[in-house]
Amino acid sequence: LVDASGTSFGTACVLDCWSGPLHALPAMLVENSHDPITRTWSGVAQVLAAIYVDEEVGYETIVTVLRLKHTGSLIKI
């Protein structure tokens, strides 16, 4: 688990993976998001639009969601 700046948050295993259009994203995956803003479909779209400024983000945008379980200690890179 590493963020865009290279900061490590330890290790994790993938519990679930879902890929499809944003409008079909299962509520049980959205509502459990770590970021309160992304606990709704419109919030996910808003965050994606802010990150991918050169892309058009809408409800037909294909997204992939991973549900992770932390498995290790915090590791600094």
Side-chain angles (χ1 to χ4, degrees):
L1 299 173
V2 179
D3 69 12
S5 67
T7 302
S8 175
F9 295 96
T11 59
C13 66
V14 177
L15 298 177
D16 196 7
C17 177
W18 184 90
S19 185
L22 179 57
H23 70 83
L25 182 58
M28 69 180 283
L29 293 176
V30 175
E31 292 172 356
N32 288 321
S33 177
H34 62 91
D35 184 347
I37 294 171
T38 60
R39 291 181 186 158
T40 64
W41 290 280
S42 59
V44 173
Q46 179 183 3
V47 169
L48 290 173
I51 294 169
Y52 300 102
V53 294
D54 295 332
E55 306 285 331
E56 183 178 335
V57 176
Y59 289 105
E60 293 298 325
T61 299
I62 301 299
V63 297
T64 300
V65 176
L66 299 176
R67 192 166 62 96
L68 305 173
K69 178 181 179 182
H70 186 257
T71 61
S73 61
L74 186 63
I75 301 168
K76 288 285 190 182
I77 294 179

Short mmCIF file of all heavy atoms in Angstrom, two decimals:
data_model
loop_
_atom_site.label_atom_id
_atom_site.label_comp_id
_atom_site.label_asym_id
_atom_site.label_seq_id
_atom_site.Cartn_x
_atom_site.Cartn_y
_atom_site.Cartn_z
N LEU A 1 0.84 -1.17 0.00
CA LEU A 1 0.00 0.00 0.00
C LEU A 1 0.89 1.24 0.00
O LEU A 1 1.48 1.57 1.01
CB LEU A 1 -0.91 0.02 1.22
CG LEU A 1 -1.88 -1.13 1.38
CD1 LEU A 1 -2.58 -1.06 2.73
CD2 LEU A 1 -2.88 -1.12 0.27
N VAL A 2 1.00 1.89 -1.17
CA VAL A 2 1.85 3.07 -1.31
C VAL A 2 1.04 4.16 -1.99
O VAL A 2 0.35 3.91 -2.97
CB VAL A 2 3.10 2.74 -2.16
CG1 VAL A 2 3.98 3.96 -2.33
CG2 VAL A 2 3.88 1.61 -1.53
N ASP A 3 1.11 5.39 -1.46
CA ASP A 3 0.39 6.49 -2.10
C ASP A 3 1.21 7.08 -3.25
O ASP A 3 2.33 6.63 -3.53
CB ASP A 3 -0.04 7.55 -1.08
CG ASP A 3 1.11 8.34 -0.48
OD1 ASP A 3 2.25 8.26 -0.98
OD2 ASP A 3 0.86 9.07 0.50
N ALA A 4 0.67 8.08 -3.91
CA ALA A 4 1.30 8.67 -5.09
C ALA A 4 2.66 9.29 -4.79
O ALA A 4 3.51 9.38 -5.67
CB ALA A 4 0.38 9.71 -5.71
N SER A 5 2.89 9.70 -3.55
CA SER A 5 4.18 10.31 -3.20
C SER A 5 5.20 9.28 -2.73
O SER A 5 6.32 9.64 -2.39
CB SER A 5 3.98 11.39 -2.13
OG SER A 5 3.55 10.79 -0.92
N GLY A 6 4.83 8.00 -2.70
CA GLY A 6 5.75 6.95 -2.30
C GLY A 6 5.72 6.59 -0.84
O GLY A 6 6.51 5.78 -0.37
N THR A 7 4.78 7.16 -0.09
CA THR A 7 4.65 6.85 1.33
C THR A 7 4.01 5.48 1.48
O THR A 7 2.93 5.23 0.94
CB THR A 7 3.79 7.90 2.05
OG1 THR A 7 4.38 9.18 1.86
CG2 THR A 7 3.68 7.60 3.53
N SER A 8 4.67 4.60 2.22
CA SER A 8 4.16 3.25 2.43
C SER A 8 3.19 3.22 3.61
O SER A 8 3.42 3.86 4.63
CB SER A 8 5.30 2.29 2.70
OG SER A 8 4.80 1.01 3.02
N PHE A 9 2.13 2.46 3.45
CA PHE A 9 1.16 2.25 4.52
C PHE A 9 1.12 0.79 4.93
O PHE A 9 0.15 0.34 5.52
CB PHE A 9 -0.22 2.73 4.08
CG PHE A 9 -0.26 4.22 3.84
CD1 PHE A 9 -0.10 4.73 2.58
CD2 PHE A 9 -0.41 5.09 4.90
CE1 PHE A 9 -0.11 6.10 2.36
CE2 PHE A 9 -0.42 6.46 4.70
CZ PHE A 9 -0.27 6.96 3.42
N GLY A 10 2.17 0.04 4.63
CA GLY A 10 2.25 -1.37 5.00
C GLY A 10 1.78 -2.28 3.87
O GLY A 10 1.77 -1.89 2.71
N THR A 11 1.39 -3.48 4.23
CA THR A 11 0.96 -4.47 3.25
C THR A 11 -0.51 -4.81 3.46
O THR A 11 -1.07 -4.60 4.53
CB THR A 11 1.80 -5.75 3.35
OG1 THR A 11 1.66 -6.29 4.68
CG2 THR A 11 3.26 -5.47 3.07
N ALA A 12 -1.12 -5.37 2.42
CA ALA A 12 -2.53 -5.75 2.48
C ALA A 12 -2.79 -6.91 1.54
O ALA A 12 -2.03 -7.15 0.60
CB ALA A 12 -3.42 -4.58 2.11
N CYS A 13 -3.88 -7.61 1.78
CA CYS A 13 -4.33 -8.61 0.83
C CYS A 13 -5.66 -8.11 0.25
O CYS A 13 -6.39 -7.36 0.88
CB CYS A 13 -4.49 -9.98 1.48
SG CYS A 13 -5.76 -10.11 2.72
N VAL A 14 -5.93 -8.52 -0.98
CA VAL A 14 -7.15 -8.12 -1.68
C VAL A 14 -8.27 -9.07 -1.26
O VAL A 14 -8.17 -10.28 -1.46
CB VAL A 14 -6.96 -8.15 -3.21
CG1 VAL A 14 -8.27 -7.81 -3.92
CG2 VAL A 14 -5.85 -7.18 -3.63
N LEU A 15 -9.33 -8.53 -0.67
CA LEU A 15 -10.48 -9.32 -0.26
C LEU A 15 -11.53 -9.41 -1.35
O LEU A 15 -12.26 -10.39 -1.44
CB LEU A 15 -11.11 -8.73 1.00
CG LEU A 15 -10.25 -8.68 2.25
CD1 LEU A 15 -11.00 -7.98 3.37
CD2 LEU A 15 -9.83 -10.08 2.66
N ASP A 16 -11.63 -8.35 -2.16
CA ASP A 16 -12.66 -8.30 -3.19
C ASP A 16 -12.22 -7.33 -4.27
O ASP A 16 -11.48 -6.38 -4.00
CB ASP A 16 -13.98 -7.82 -2.57
CG ASP A 16 -15.19 -8.10 -3.44
OD1 ASP A 16 -15.06 -8.79 -4.47
OD2 ASP A 16 -16.27 -7.63 -3.08
N CYS A 17 -12.64 -7.59 -5.49
CA CYS A 17 -12.33 -6.71 -6.61
C CYS A 17 -13.58 -6.57 -7.46
O CYS A 17 -14.26 -7.56 -7.74
CB CYS A 17 -11.19 -7.31 -7.43
SG CYS A 17 -10.76 -6.35 -8.90
N TRP A 18 -13.89 -5.34 -7.84
CA TRP A 18 -15.04 -5.07 -8.70
C TRP A 18 -14.63 -4.07 -9.76
O TRP A 18 -13.92 -3.11 -9.48
CB TRP A 18 -16.21 -4.50 -7.88
CG TRP A 18 -17.44 -4.31 -8.70
CD1 TRP A 18 -18.43 -5.22 -8.91
CD2 TRP A 18 -17.80 -3.15 -9.44
NE1 TRP A 18 -19.39 -4.69 -9.73
CE2 TRP A 18 -19.02 -3.41 -10.08
CE3 TRP A 18 -17.21 -1.92 -9.65
CZ2 TRP A 18 -19.66 -2.49 -10.89
CZ3 TRP A 18 -17.84 -0.99 -10.46
CH2 TRP A 18 -19.06 -1.28 -11.07
N SER A 19 -15.07 -4.31 -11.01
CA SER A 19 -14.79 -3.38 -12.09
C SER A 19 -16.04 -3.25 -12.96
O SER A 19 -16.71 -4.24 -13.25
CB SER A 19 -13.62 -3.90 -12.94
OG SER A 19 -13.27 -2.95 -13.91
N GLY A 20 -16.35 -2.01 -13.33
CA GLY A 20 -17.51 -1.76 -14.17
C GLY A 20 -17.80 -0.27 -14.22
O GLY A 20 -17.02 0.55 -13.73
N PRO A 21 -18.94 0.11 -14.83
CA PRO A 21 -19.28 1.53 -14.92
C PRO A 21 -19.62 2.10 -13.55
O PRO A 21 -20.20 1.41 -12.69
CB PRO A 21 -20.49 1.55 -15.85
CG PRO A 21 -21.07 0.18 -15.76
CD PRO A 21 -19.94 -0.75 -15.47
N LEU A 22 -19.24 3.35 -13.34
CA LEU A 22 -19.45 4.02 -12.05
C LEU A 22 -20.89 3.90 -11.57
O LEU A 22 -21.14 3.65 -10.40
CB LEU A 22 -19.03 5.49 -12.16
CG LEU A 22 -19.19 6.35 -10.91
CD1 LEU A 22 -18.42 5.78 -9.74
CD2 LEU A 22 -18.75 7.77 -11.20
N HIS A 23 -21.85 4.04 -12.48
CA HIS A 23 -23.26 4.00 -12.05
C HIS A 23 -23.68 2.64 -11.51
O HIS A 23 -24.67 2.54 -10.79
CB HIS A 23 -24.20 4.42 -13.19
CG HIS A 23 -24.29 3.42 -14.29
ND1 HIS A 23 -25.13 2.34 -14.24
CD2 HIS A 23 -23.64 3.34 -15.48
CE1 HIS A 23 -25.00 1.62 -15.35
NE2 HIS A 23 -24.09 2.22 -16.11
N ALA A 24 -22.91 1.59 -11.79
CA ALA A 24 -23.27 0.25 -11.31
C ALA A 24 -22.44 -0.19 -10.10
O ALA A 24 -22.58 -1.31 -9.63
CB ALA A 24 -23.09 -0.76 -12.45
N LEU A 25 -21.60 0.71 -9.60
CA LEU A 25 -20.77 0.40 -8.44
C LEU A 25 -21.65 -0.01 -7.27
O LEU A 25 -22.54 0.75 -6.85
CB LEU A 25 -19.94 1.64 -8.10
CG LEU A 25 -18.95 1.57 -6.94
CD1 LEU A 25 -17.93 0.47 -7.15
CD2 LEU A 25 -18.25 2.91 -6.79
N PRO A 26 -21.43 -1.20 -6.70
CA PRO A 26 -22.29 -1.67 -5.61
C PRO A 26 -22.21 -0.76 -4.38
O PRO A 26 -21.11 -0.36 -3.95
CB PRO A 26 -21.73 -3.06 -5.28
CG PRO A 26 -21.03 -3.49 -6.52
CD PRO A 26 -20.46 -2.23 -7.11
N ALA A 27 -23.36 -0.44 -3.81
CA ALA A 27 -23.43 0.44 -2.64
C ALA A 27 -22.59 -0.09 -1.49
O ALA A 27 -21.97 0.68 -0.77
CB ALA A 27 -24.88 0.61 -2.21
N MET A 28 -22.52 -1.41 -1.30
CA MET A 28 -21.76 -1.96 -0.18
C MET A 28 -20.27 -1.64 -0.30
O MET A 28 -19.57 -1.56 0.71
CB MET A 28 -21.98 -3.45 -0.01
CG MET A 28 -21.39 -4.31 -1.10
SD MET A 28 -21.69 -6.07 -0.86
CE MET A 28 -20.49 -6.43 0.39
N LEU A 29 -19.77 -1.41 -1.52
CA LEU A 29 -18.37 -1.02 -1.69
C LEU A 29 -18.21 0.48 -1.51
O LEU A 29 -17.23 0.95 -0.94
CB LEU A 29 -17.85 -1.45 -3.06
CG LEU A 29 -17.74 -2.95 -3.29
CD1 LEU A 29 -17.30 -3.25 -4.72
CD2 LEU A 29 -16.78 -3.58 -2.30
N VAL A 30 -19.16 1.26 -2.00
CA VAL A 30 -19.09 2.72 -1.89
C VAL A 30 -19.23 3.16 -0.43
O VAL A 30 -18.44 3.98 0.06
CB VAL A 30 -20.19 3.39 -2.75
CG1 VAL A 30 -20.21 4.89 -2.54
CG2 VAL A 30 -20.00 3.05 -4.22
N GLU A 31 -20.19 2.62 0.27
CA GLU A 31 -20.49 3.07 1.63
C GLU A 31 -19.40 2.74 2.63
O GLU A 31 -19.33 3.35 3.70
CB GLU A 31 -21.83 2.48 2.08
CG GLU A 31 -22.99 3.07 1.30
CD GLU A 31 -24.31 2.37 1.57
OE1 GLU A 31 -24.34 1.37 2.33
OE2 GLU A 31 -25.33 2.82 1.03
N ASN A 32 -18.52 1.80 2.31
CA ASN A 32 -17.43 1.42 3.21
C ASN A 32 -16.12 2.13 2.89
O ASN A 32 -15.07 1.78 3.45
CB ASN A 32 -17.21 -0.10 3.17
CG ASN A 32 -18.33 -0.83 3.86
OD1 ASN A 32 -18.81 -0.40 4.88
ND2 ASN A 32 -18.75 -1.94 3.28
N SER A 33 -16.15 3.12 2.03
CA SER A 33 -14.94 3.84 1.65
C SER A 33 -14.30 4.52 2.85
O SER A 33 -14.98 5.03 3.73
CB SER A 33 -15.26 4.89 0.58
OG SER A 33 -14.11 5.63 0.26
N HIS A 34 -12.97 4.55 2.85
CA HIS A 34 -12.24 5.21 3.94
C HIS A 34 -12.41 6.73 3.90
O HIS A 34 -12.27 7.40 4.92
CB HIS A 34 -10.75 4.86 3.87
CG HIS A 34 -10.10 5.32 2.60
ND1 HIS A 34 -9.51 6.54 2.48
CD2 HIS A 34 -9.99 4.72 1.40
CE1 HIS A 34 -9.04 6.67 1.26
NE2 HIS A 34 -9.32 5.59 0.58
N ASP A 35 -12.73 7.28 2.74
CA ASP A 35 -12.88 8.73 2.57
C ASP A 35 -14.37 9.07 2.54
O ASP A 35 -15.09 8.62 1.65
CB ASP A 35 -12.21 9.16 1.27
CG ASP A 35 -12.23 10.65 1.05
OD1 ASP A 35 -12.96 11.36 1.76
OD2 ASP A 35 -11.51 11.11 0.15
N PRO A 36 -14.87 9.84 3.51
CA PRO A 36 -16.30 10.16 3.55
C PRO A 36 -16.84 10.76 2.25
O PRO A 36 -17.99 10.51 1.90
CB PRO A 36 -16.41 11.16 4.70
CG PRO A 36 -15.25 10.88 5.57
CD PRO A 36 -14.14 10.44 4.64
N ILE A 37 -16.02 11.52 1.54
CA ILE A 37 -16.48 12.12 0.28
C ILE A 37 -16.84 11.06 -0.75
O ILE A 37 -17.77 11.23 -1.54
CB ILE A 37 -15.39 13.07 -0.29
CG1 ILE A 37 -15.20 14.26 0.64
CG2 ILE A 37 -15.74 13.53 -1.70
CD1 ILE A 37 -14.00 15.12 0.28
N THR A 38 -16.14 9.93 -0.73
CA THR A 38 -16.36 8.90 -1.74
C THR A 38 -17.34 7.82 -1.30
O THR A 38 -17.35 6.72 -1.85
CB THR A 38 -15.02 8.25 -2.17
OG1 THR A 38 -14.41 7.65 -1.02
CG2 THR A 38 -14.09 9.27 -2.79
N ARG A 39 -18.19 8.14 -0.34
CA ARG A 39 -19.20 7.17 0.11
C ARG A 39 -20.51 7.31 -0.66
O ARG A 39 -21.52 6.69 -0.29
CB ARG A 39 -19.44 7.31 1.61
CG ARG A 39 -18.23 6.85 2.40
CD ARG A 39 -18.42 6.95 3.87
NE ARG A 39 -17.14 6.63 4.53
CZ ARG A 39 -16.83 6.99 5.74
NH1 ARG A 39 -17.70 7.68 6.48
NH2 ARG A 39 -15.67 6.68 6.26
N THR A 40 -20.49 8.12 -1.74
CA THR A 40 -21.62 8.24 -2.66
C THR A 40 -21.08 8.18 -4.08
O THR A 40 -19.90 8.45 -4.32
CB THR A 40 -22.36 9.59 -2.49
OG1 THR A 40 -21.47 10.66 -2.84
CG2 THR A 40 -22.87 9.77 -1.07
N TRP A 41 -21.94 7.84 -5.04
CA TRP A 41 -21.50 7.78 -6.44
C TRP A 41 -21.07 9.16 -6.91
O TRP A 41 -20.06 9.30 -7.59
CB TRP A 41 -22.60 7.23 -7.34
CG TRP A 41 -22.87 5.78 -7.12
CD1 TRP A 41 -22.15 4.74 -7.63
CD2 TRP A 41 -23.90 5.21 -6.34
NE1 TRP A 41 -22.67 3.55 -7.20
CE2 TRP A 41 -23.75 3.81 -6.41
CE3 TRP A 41 -24.94 5.73 -5.57
CZ2 TRP A 41 -24.60 2.93 -5.75
CZ3 TRP A 41 -25.79 4.85 -4.92
CH2 TRP A 41 -25.61 3.47 -5.02
N SER A 42 -21.83 10.19 -6.56
CA SER A 42 -21.46 11.54 -7.00
C SER A 42 -20.14 11.98 -6.37
O SER A 42 -19.34 12.67 -7.00
CB SER A 42 -22.57 12.55 -6.67
OG SER A 42 -22.84 12.56 -5.29
N GLY A 43 -19.88 11.55 -5.14
CA GLY A 43 -18.62 11.87 -4.50
C GLY A 43 -17.44 11.18 -5.18
O GLY A 43 -16.38 11.79 -5.38
N VAL A 44 -17.63 9.91 -5.55
CA VAL A 44 -16.57 9.20 -6.30
C VAL A 44 -16.31 9.92 -7.61
O VAL A 44 -15.15 10.16 -7.98
CB VAL A 44 -16.96 7.72 -6.55
CG1 VAL A 44 -15.95 7.05 -7.47
CG2 VAL A 44 -17.08 6.96 -5.24
N ALA A 45 -17.37 10.29 -8.33
CA ALA A 45 -17.20 11.01 -9.61
C ALA A 45 -16.47 12.33 -9.41
O ALA A 45 -15.59 12.70 -10.20
CB ALA A 45 -18.56 11.24 -10.26
N GLN A 46 -16.80 13.05 -8.35
CA GLN A 46 -16.16 14.33 -8.05
C GLN A 46 -14.66 14.15 -7.79
O GLN A 46 -13.84 14.91 -8.30
CB GLN A 46 -16.84 14.97 -6.85
CG GLN A 46 -16.24 16.29 -6.44
CD GLN A 46 -16.90 16.86 -5.19
OE1 GLN A 46 -17.78 16.24 -4.59
NE2 GLN A 46 -16.49 18.03 -4.79
N VAL A 47 -14.30 13.16 -6.98
CA VAL A 47 -12.89 12.92 -6.68
C VAL A 47 -12.14 12.47 -7.92
O VAL A 47 -11.03 12.94 -8.19
CB VAL A 47 -12.75 11.88 -5.53
CG1 VAL A 47 -11.32 11.42 -5.37
CG2 VAL A 47 -13.26 12.48 -4.23
N LEU A 48 -12.73 11.59 -8.72
CA LEU A 48 -12.08 11.15 -9.95
C LEU A 48 -11.87 12.31 -10.91
O LEU A 48 -10.82 12.43 -11.55
CB LEU A 48 -12.89 10.04 -10.63
CG LEU A 48 -12.90 8.69 -9.91
CD1 LEU A 48 -13.87 7.74 -10.61
CD2 LEU A 48 -11.51 8.09 -9.84
N ALA A 49 -12.86 13.19 -11.03
CA ALA A 49 -12.74 14.35 -11.92
C ALA A 49 -11.62 15.28 -11.46
O ALA A 49 -10.92 15.87 -12.28
CB ALA A 49 -14.07 15.11 -11.99
N ALA A 50 -11.44 15.40 -10.14
CA ALA A 50 -10.36 16.25 -9.61
C ALA A 50 -8.99 15.63 -9.86
O ALA A 50 -8.01 16.35 -10.07
CB ALA A 50 -10.58 16.50 -8.12
N ILE A 51 -8.91 14.31 -9.84
CA ILE A 51 -7.64 13.62 -10.05
C ILE A 51 -7.30 13.54 -11.54
O ILE A 51 -6.17 13.79 -11.95
CB ILE A 51 -7.68 12.20 -9.44
CG1 ILE A 51 -7.79 12.29 -7.91
CG2 ILE A 51 -6.45 11.40 -9.85
CD1 ILE A 51 -8.09 10.96 -7.24
N TYR A 52 -8.27 13.16 -12.36
CA TYR A 52 -8.06 12.96 -13.79
C TYR A 52 -8.61 14.16 -14.56
O TYR A 52 -9.60 14.06 -15.28
CB TYR A 52 -8.72 11.66 -14.25
CG TYR A 52 -8.15 10.46 -13.53
CD1 TYR A 52 -8.83 9.85 -12.48
CD2 TYR A 52 -6.91 9.94 -13.89
CE1 TYR A 52 -8.30 8.76 -11.81
CE2 TYR A 52 -6.37 8.85 -13.23
CZ TYR A 52 -7.07 8.26 -12.19
OH TYR A 52 -6.54 7.18 -11.54
N VAL A 53 -7.95 15.31 -14.41
CA VAL A 53 -8.45 16.57 -14.97
C VAL A 53 -8.47 16.57 -16.50
O VAL A 53 -9.25 17.32 -17.10
CB VAL A 53 -7.65 17.78 -14.46
CG1 VAL A 53 -7.87 17.96 -12.96
CG2 VAL A 53 -6.16 17.65 -14.76
N ASP A 54 -7.67 15.74 -17.14
CA ASP A 54 -7.64 15.68 -18.60
C ASP A 54 -8.60 14.64 -19.18
O ASP A 54 -8.64 14.44 -20.39
CB ASP A 54 -6.21 15.40 -19.10
CG ASP A 54 -5.26 16.53 -18.76
OD1 ASP A 54 -5.72 17.69 -18.65
OD2 ASP A 54 -4.05 16.26 -18.59
N GLU A 55 -9.34 13.97 -18.32
CA GLU A 55 -10.29 12.93 -18.73
C GLU A 55 -11.72 13.37 -18.42
O GLU A 55 -11.95 14.09 -17.46
CB GLU A 55 -10.00 11.63 -17.98
CG GLU A 55 -8.59 11.13 -18.08
CD GLU A 55 -8.28 10.52 -19.43
OE1 GLU A 55 -9.21 9.97 -20.06
OE2 GLU A 55 -7.11 10.58 -19.84
N GLU A 56 -12.65 12.89 -19.20
CA GLU A 56 -14.06 13.13 -18.89
C GLU A 56 -14.53 12.03 -17.96
O GLU A 56 -14.43 10.85 -18.27
CB GLU A 56 -14.91 13.13 -20.15
CG GLU A 56 -16.36 13.44 -19.88
CD GLU A 56 -17.20 13.49 -21.14
OE1 GLU A 56 -16.65 13.75 -22.21
OE2 GLU A 56 -18.41 13.26 -21.03
N VAL A 57 -15.01 12.41 -16.78
CA VAL A 57 -15.49 11.45 -15.79
C VAL A 57 -17.00 11.60 -15.67
O VAL A 57 -17.50 12.69 -15.41
CB VAL A 57 -14.82 11.67 -14.42
CG1 VAL A 57 -15.40 10.72 -13.39
CG2 VAL A 57 -13.31 11.49 -14.52
N GLY A 58 -17.71 10.50 -15.88
CA GLY A 58 -19.16 10.50 -15.75
C GLY A 58 -19.62 9.17 -15.22
O GLY A 58 -18.82 8.31 -14.85
N TYR A 59 -20.91 8.96 -15.20
CA TYR A 59 -21.44 7.73 -14.64
C TYR A 59 -21.19 6.50 -15.49
O TYR A 59 -21.34 5.38 -15.02
CB TYR A 59 -22.93 7.90 -14.32
CG TYR A 59 -23.12 8.81 -13.13
CD1 TYR A 59 -23.57 10.11 -13.28
CD2 TYR A 59 -22.78 8.39 -11.85
CE1 TYR A 59 -23.71 10.96 -12.20
CE2 TYR A 59 -22.91 9.22 -10.76
CZ TYR A 59 -23.37 10.51 -10.94
OH TYR A 59 -23.49 11.33 -9.85
N GLU A 60 -20.74 6.67 -16.74
CA GLU A 60 -20.36 5.54 -17.59
C GLU A 60 -18.87 5.22 -17.48
O GLU A 60 -18.40 4.23 -18.03
CB GLU A 60 -20.72 5.83 -19.05
CG GLU A 60 -22.21 5.92 -19.31
CD GLU A 60 -22.94 4.61 -19.01
OE1 GLU A 60 -22.38 3.52 -19.24
OE2 GLU A 60 -24.08 4.69 -18.52
N THR A 61 -18.11 6.04 -16.75
CA THR A 61 -16.68 5.81 -16.57
C THR A 61 -16.45 4.46 -15.91
O THR A 61 -17.09 4.13 -14.90
CB THR A 61 -16.05 6.92 -15.71
OG1 THR A 61 -16.24 8.17 -16.38
CG2 THR A 61 -14.58 6.69 -15.46
N ILE A 62 -15.54 3.67 -16.48
CA ILE A 62 -15.21 2.37 -15.90
C ILE A 62 -14.26 2.59 -14.73
O ILE A 62 -13.25 3.27 -14.85
CB ILE A 62 -14.56 1.44 -16.95
CG1 ILE A 62 -15.51 1.23 -18.13
CG2 ILE A 62 -14.16 0.10 -16.32
CD1 ILE A 62 -16.84 0.57 -17.77
N VAL A 63 -14.62 2.01 -13.58
CA VAL A 63 -13.80 2.12 -12.37
C VAL A 63 -13.49 0.71 -11.86
O VAL A 63 -14.20 -0.25 -12.16
CB VAL A 63 -14.50 2.94 -11.27
CG1 VAL A 63 -14.73 4.37 -11.71
CG2 VAL A 63 -15.81 2.30 -10.85
N THR A 64 -12.43 0.62 -11.10
CA THR A 64 -12.08 -0.63 -10.43
C THR A 64 -11.95 -0.33 -8.94
O THR A 64 -11.30 0.63 -8.55
CB THR A 64 -10.76 -1.21 -10.97
OG1 THR A 64 -10.91 -1.47 -12.36
CG2 THR A 64 -10.38 -2.49 -10.24
N VAL A 65 -12.59 -1.14 -8.13
CA VAL A 65 -12.57 -0.98 -6.68
C VAL A 65 -11.96 -2.23 -6.06
O VAL A 65 -12.35 -3.35 -6.39
CB VAL A 65 -13.99 -0.77 -6.12
CG1 VAL A 65 -13.98 -0.69 -4.61
CG2 VAL A 65 -14.62 0.46 -6.73
N LEU A 66 -10.99 -2.00 -5.18
CA LEU A 66 -10.40 -3.10 -4.42
C LEU A 66 -10.79 -2.94 -2.96
O LEU A 66 -10.72 -1.85 -2.42
CB LEU A 66 -8.87 -3.07 -4.52
CG LEU A 66 -8.26 -3.21 -5.90
CD1 LEU A 66 -6.75 -3.06 -5.80
CD2 LEU A 66 -8.63 -4.53 -6.53
N ARG A 67 -11.19 -4.03 -2.34
CA ARG A 67 -11.42 -4.04 -0.89
C ARG A 67 -10.23 -4.74 -0.28
O ARG A 67 -9.92 -5.89 -0.63
CB ARG A 67 -12.72 -4.77 -0.55
CG ARG A 67 -13.17 -4.55 0.88
CD ARG A 67 -14.60 -4.99 1.09
NE ARG A 67 -14.81 -6.39 0.84
CZ ARG A 67 -14.82 -7.34 1.78
NH1 ARG A 67 -14.62 -7.02 3.04
NH2 ARG A 67 -15.02 -8.59 1.45
N LEU A 68 -9.52 -4.04 0.59
CA LEU A 68 -8.25 -4.53 1.12
C LEU A 68 -8.33 -4.80 2.61
O LEU A 68 -9.13 -4.19 3.33
CB LEU A 68 -7.15 -3.49 0.88
CG LEU A 68 -6.95 -3.03 -0.56
CD1 LEU A 68 -5.97 -1.88 -0.61
CD2 LEU A 68 -6.50 -4.17 -1.44
N LYS A 69 -7.46 -5.68 3.07
CA LYS A 69 -7.31 -5.95 4.50
C LYS A 69 -5.84 -5.75 4.83
O LYS A 69 -4.97 -6.40 4.24
CB LYS A 69 -7.73 -7.38 4.85
CG LYS A 69 -7.54 -7.71 6.31
CD LYS A 69 -7.94 -9.13 6.61
CE LYS A 69 -7.69 -9.40 8.08
NZ LYS A 69 -8.02 -10.79 8.40
N HIS A 70 -5.55 -4.85 5.77
CA HIS A 70 -4.18 -4.59 6.19
C HIS A 70 -3.60 -5.86 6.79
O HIS A 70 -4.24 -6.53 7.61
CB HIS A 70 -4.17 -3.46 7.22
CG HIS A 70 -2.81 -3.04 7.60
ND1 HIS A 70 -2.24 -3.41 8.78
CD2 HIS A 70 -1.88 -2.28 6.95
CE1 HIS A 70 -1.03 -2.91 8.85
NE2 HIS A 70 -0.79 -2.22 7.77
N THR A 71 -2.39 -6.24 6.36
CA THR A 71 -1.79 -7.51 6.83
C THR A 71 -0.45 -7.35 7.52
O THR A 71 0.09 -8.32 8.02
CB THR A 71 -1.60 -8.48 5.65
OG1 THR A 71 -0.73 -7.89 4.70
CG2 THR A 71 -2.92 -8.85 5.03
N GLY A 72 0.11 -6.17 7.50
CA GLY A 72 1.45 -6.04 8.07
C GLY A 72 1.63 -4.77 8.83
O GLY A 72 0.75 -3.95 8.97
N SER A 73 2.83 -4.62 9.35
CA SER A 73 3.16 -3.43 10.10
C SER A 73 3.45 -2.27 9.14
O SER A 73 3.69 -2.48 7.95
CB SER A 73 4.38 -3.67 10.98
OG SER A 73 5.49 -4.01 10.18
N LEU A 74 3.45 -1.10 9.66
CA LEU A 74 3.75 0.09 8.89
C LEU A 74 5.21 0.07 8.46
O LEU A 74 6.09 -0.11 9.27
CB LEU A 74 3.46 1.35 9.70
CG LEU A 74 3.60 2.67 8.98
CD1 LEU A 74 2.59 2.77 7.84
CD2 LEU A 74 3.39 3.83 9.93
N ILE A 75 5.45 0.24 7.17
CA ILE A 75 6.80 0.19 6.62
C ILE A 75 7.08 1.50 5.93
O ILE A 75 6.30 1.96 5.12
CB ILE A 75 6.95 -0.95 5.60
CG1 ILE A 75 6.63 -2.29 6.25
CG2 ILE A 75 8.35 -0.95 5.00
CD1 ILE A 75 6.47 -3.42 5.26
N LYS A 76 8.20 2.14 6.23
CA LYS A 76 8.60 3.37 5.54
C LYS A 76 9.55 3.00 4.41
O LYS A 76 10.47 2.23 4.59
CB LYS A 76 9.31 4.33 6.50
CG LYS A 76 8.39 4.98 7.49
CD LYS A 76 7.58 6.04 6.81
CE LYS A 76 6.81 6.86 7.81
NZ LYS A 76 6.00 7.85 7.20
N ILE A 77 9.31 3.60 3.24
CA ILE A 77 10.18 3.37 2.08
C ILE A 77 11.25 4.43 2.06
O ILE A 77 11.04 5.56 2.29
CB ILE A 77 9.37 3.37 0.78
CG1 ILE A 77 8.44 2.19 0.76
CG2 ILE A 77 10.30 3.36 -0.42
CD1 ILE A 77 7.58 2.09 -0.46
#
